Structures are given as structure tokens and as C-alpha cells.
């Protein structure tokens, strides 16, 4: 909607009729929002929104139990479709009552408007009609604020169709490419360890034989090691703060992770393209080979690789899945969405929140509302 176009006006009866998964409308004061496309993305679950469809959700937005962030309010404006017809809603009131209700509504609107700037793609800091890769570096000191104000729209990096295609990946490509390697290396590790020739030197004089039945433990240890690597990569690489004067580091940050925070529900960029991940995975393979005997290194590596696949699958699911209320995955989803919308400098764990606690980056707990 542009300022020159008058908003559509809906009666309260019209709004109340839109209370299904296919068409779900809600109110914030007198503003009407069509949140149908956001239902399955909502971290609190579809039921919470559907149970309030057709009604004013201002109280739920302000909390308790959960006070929505400024980014959540800004995000909501993308679904704005019109205004509630106050006249038709107050026909049974006296003129004095209608005047008071109108004054109260205006105060509410001013309060809501002052809480955050609205999403306006036409006046944004970048030109959304052009590829963003070469624009973001010019944002300078405004980049960090801009990239952490999410929008619900896909992002285009490059003008070239070929280059653009290399940055997009369907979620199923990750297990399709890497799980065969996980299975092959698991078999290879078992055969290697079964030869009873793999020795782990604890000192120069003392070593122990690593038997075949140690493989599951080494595999699980590799997965556990991955959770720490995942935390470090997310915190120190993906969330580095590029210097405001460095065009190239800003661009690199945007391509690596900034684009994901700007458009967190862009389904084509929620997992890493195997082609881009290959050099990093190859680097870890070589590193493990230098640190441990072959049977041990491969067992740890394949466990870590499996952990990486699970990481990408869980990351996709917490963005696009609808986990059962109260489940572990639902808590992970709520935790990760808070990281995107409110706590960008905390909550770096994806598959687990374990490492956030010893490093003091855990998102503070708050009570979660149960669906009626």
C-alpha cells in the first residue's frame, strides 16, 4: 500500500469471517492484517493465531506472557490490508460514546506507530528491484541495523542467472549429497577398525588399540564435536561485525549470513549449497587426518558430517516446520526465531542450546503461552 492510496475498510463482521487456515485475519487496534501466509511460520504455533482470528490481538502482542519485539511489529506491517469500519462497529453507541471510542483508537494508533518504523520497500536503503550483493556494502554504519530488520520476501544476489542459481539449494539436496558419504565412510571406518591395527598414542611410549566396537562412541563424539563447531561458526563467523568502512567485508557478511537475517523465511537459502560447503568439509577432513590415526579421524569426521546434515535439516525445520506444541523442536523453533527477531547477539545454538550457557549467550527464558 502506498500513501496515495486509501486503505480498504472492513466491517467487524467481514473480519470475523476470516478465521480459517486458508484465510486468517486479525486486528491490531483498528488495523486489519491477513496473516494466512504466516500461520505455519509462527513460532508459537498455528493454534495461537487461529484461536484469536477475527479479534484484536493487541493484548497478546504486548504480553504477558510474551511481549513481541520491535521487529515483530515491523514484520506484522507486511500483512496490513486495511482498516476496521469503526462507524459500523459502534452504531448502537451514543454520539458521546462513539467520540470517546474514536479518540481512544487514535491514541492506540499513535502508540503503535511510534513503536517502530513500518516496512516500506519503496523507501528502503536498497533498491529491491536490483541485485543486492553489490548494494549492501555501501550501507556503511547503517548496515548492521538494516540487516537485522527482517522482511518477508526473497532476495536476489546477482544479475547473472547462473551465479544466482549457485546460491540457492532445496533442503533435500543436503542429505542427498552427504548421507551416501556418511554411509560409505561409516562402513570404511568399521572395516578399518576391525583390522585391530589402529592405535591411539596417549604418550610417545604408551598407546591403546581402538577396536571396532569403539566406532559408535567415536561417531557420537564426532557429532558432539560438531555442535561446538556449529556454535563457533555461527557466533564468530556468521555474526562478525564487519567494519562500517569496509565495503568488501560487509558484502561478504551479507552473502554468508546477513541475507538470512534480512529474509529469514527465504526457503531457497536455509541450507548450505553442497558445492560451497565442500571446501569447508574437505578442510575439516584434512585437519582430523593430521590430528588422529586414520581409523579414529575418519570415525570422528563422519560423526561430525552427520551432525552437520542434522544441523541443516533442523535449521530448515525450525523455520518452516510446525512442531508439536511443547515438544523439543517447538522450543528450538521459538528459541531460534527469538534470535532472528530480538536477540541477534545471543542464541547461537541451532541443533542444541547447550553451548550458549557456558559462554553466556543464552536467550533469557520466559513463560510460553499455551493454546486453549
Amino acid at each position: 500500500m502506498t500513501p496515495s492510496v486509501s486503505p480498504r475498510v472492513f466491517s467487524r463482521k467481514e473480519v470475523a469471517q476470516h478465521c480459517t487456515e486458508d484465510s486468517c485475519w486479525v486486528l491490531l487496534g483498528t488495523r486489519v492484517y491477513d496473516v494466512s501466509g504466516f500461520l505455519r511460520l509462527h513460532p508459537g504455533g498455528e493454534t495461537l493465531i487461529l484461536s484469536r482470528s477475527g479479534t484484536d490481538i493487541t493484548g497478546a502482542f504486548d504480553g504477558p506472557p510474551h511481549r513481541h519485539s520491535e521487529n515483530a511489529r515491523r514484520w506484522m506491517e507486511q500483512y496490513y490490508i486495511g482498516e476496521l469500519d469503526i462507524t459500523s462497529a459502534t452504531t448502537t453507541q451514543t454520539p458521546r460514546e462513539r467520540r470517546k471510542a474514536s479518540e481512544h483508537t487514535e491514541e492506540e494508533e499513535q502508540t503503535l506507530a511510534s513503536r517502530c518504523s513500518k516496512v516500506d520497500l519503496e523507501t528502503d536503503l536498497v533498491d529491491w528491484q536490483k541485485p543486492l550483493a553489490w548494494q549492501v556494502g555501501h550501507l556503511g554504519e547503517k548496515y548492521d541495523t538494516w540487516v537485522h530488520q527482517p522482511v518477508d520476501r526473497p532476495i536476489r544476489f546477482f544479475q547473472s542467472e547462473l551465479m544466482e542459481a549457485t546460491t540457492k539449494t532445496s533442503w533435500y539436496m543436503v542429505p542427498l549429497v552427504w548421507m551416501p558419504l556418511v554411509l560409505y565412510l561409516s562402513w570404511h571406518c568399521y572395516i578399518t577398525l576391525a583390522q585391530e591395527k589402529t592405535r591411539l598414542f596417549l604418550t610417545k611410549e604408551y598407546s591403546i588399540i581402538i577396536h571396532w566396537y569403539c566406532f559408535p562412541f567415536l561417531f557420537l563424539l564426532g557429532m558432539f564435536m560438531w555442535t561446538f563447531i556449529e556454535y563457533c561458526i555461527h557466533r564468530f563467523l556468521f555474526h562478525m561485525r564487519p567494519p562500517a568502512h569496509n565495503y568488501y567485508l560487509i558484502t561478504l557478511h551479507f552473502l554468508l549470513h546477513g541475507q538470512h537475517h534480512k529474509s529469514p523465511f527465504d526457503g531457497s537459502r536455509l541450507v548450505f549449497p553442497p558445492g560451497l560447503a565442500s571446501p569447508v568439509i574437505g578442510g575439516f577432513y584434512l585437519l582430523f587426518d593430521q590430528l588422529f590415526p586414520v581409523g579414529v579421524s575418519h570415525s570422528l569426521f563422519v560423526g561430525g558430517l552427520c551432525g552437520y546434515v542434522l544441523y541443516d535439516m533442523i535449521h530448515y525445520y525450525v523455520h518452516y516446520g510446525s512442531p508439536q506444541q511443547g515438544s523439543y523442536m517447538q522450543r528450538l523453533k521459538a528459541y531460534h526465531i527469538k534470535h532472528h527477531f530480538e536477540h541477534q547477539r545471543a542464541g547461537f545454538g541451532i541443533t542444541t542450546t547447550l553451548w550458549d550457557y557456558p559462554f553466556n549467550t543464552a536467550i533469557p527464558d520466559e513463560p510460553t503461552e499455551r493454546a486453549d
Side-chain angles (χ1 to χ4, degrees), residues 317-329:
Y317 186 73
V318 296
H319 277 271
Y320 267 89
S322 298
Q324 184 177 357
Q325 196 76 10
S327 65
Y328 176 71
M329 292 303 299

Side-chain angles (χ1 to χ4, degrees), residues 1 28 31-38 41 61 70-82 116-121 124 128 149-154 261-265 341:
M1 187 191 75
L28 274 177
R31 297 172 70 82
V32 184
Y33 300 85
D34 181 354
V35 294
S36 310
F38 185 67
L41 306 178
F61 241 69
E70 304 303 310
N71 272 333
R73 299 173 189 278
R74 184 181 293 105
W75 180 273
M76 189 71 172
E77 292 304 314
Q78 297 172 110
Y79 307 125
Y80 172 76
I81 57 173
C116 66
S117 58
K118 299 173 185 176
V119 174
D120 190 343
L121 300 178
D124 203 353
W128 285 90
Q149 293 178 344
V151 296
D152 187 10
R153 63 176 291 135
H261 271 261
K262 190 61 182 178
S263 181
F265 296 105
F341 280 77

Side-chain angles (χ1 to χ4, degrees), residues 18-19 45 47 59 75 120 131 152 174 187-188 190-191 195 215 233 251 269 317 341 355:
H18 294 268
C19 56
T47 307
W75 180 273
D120 190 343
D152 187 10
V174 173
W187 172 82
H188 172 73
Y190 175 80
I191 296 299
Q195 295 174 5
F215 172 71
I233 291 175
T251 302
R269 292 196 176 98
Y317 186 73
F341 280 77
W355 297 106

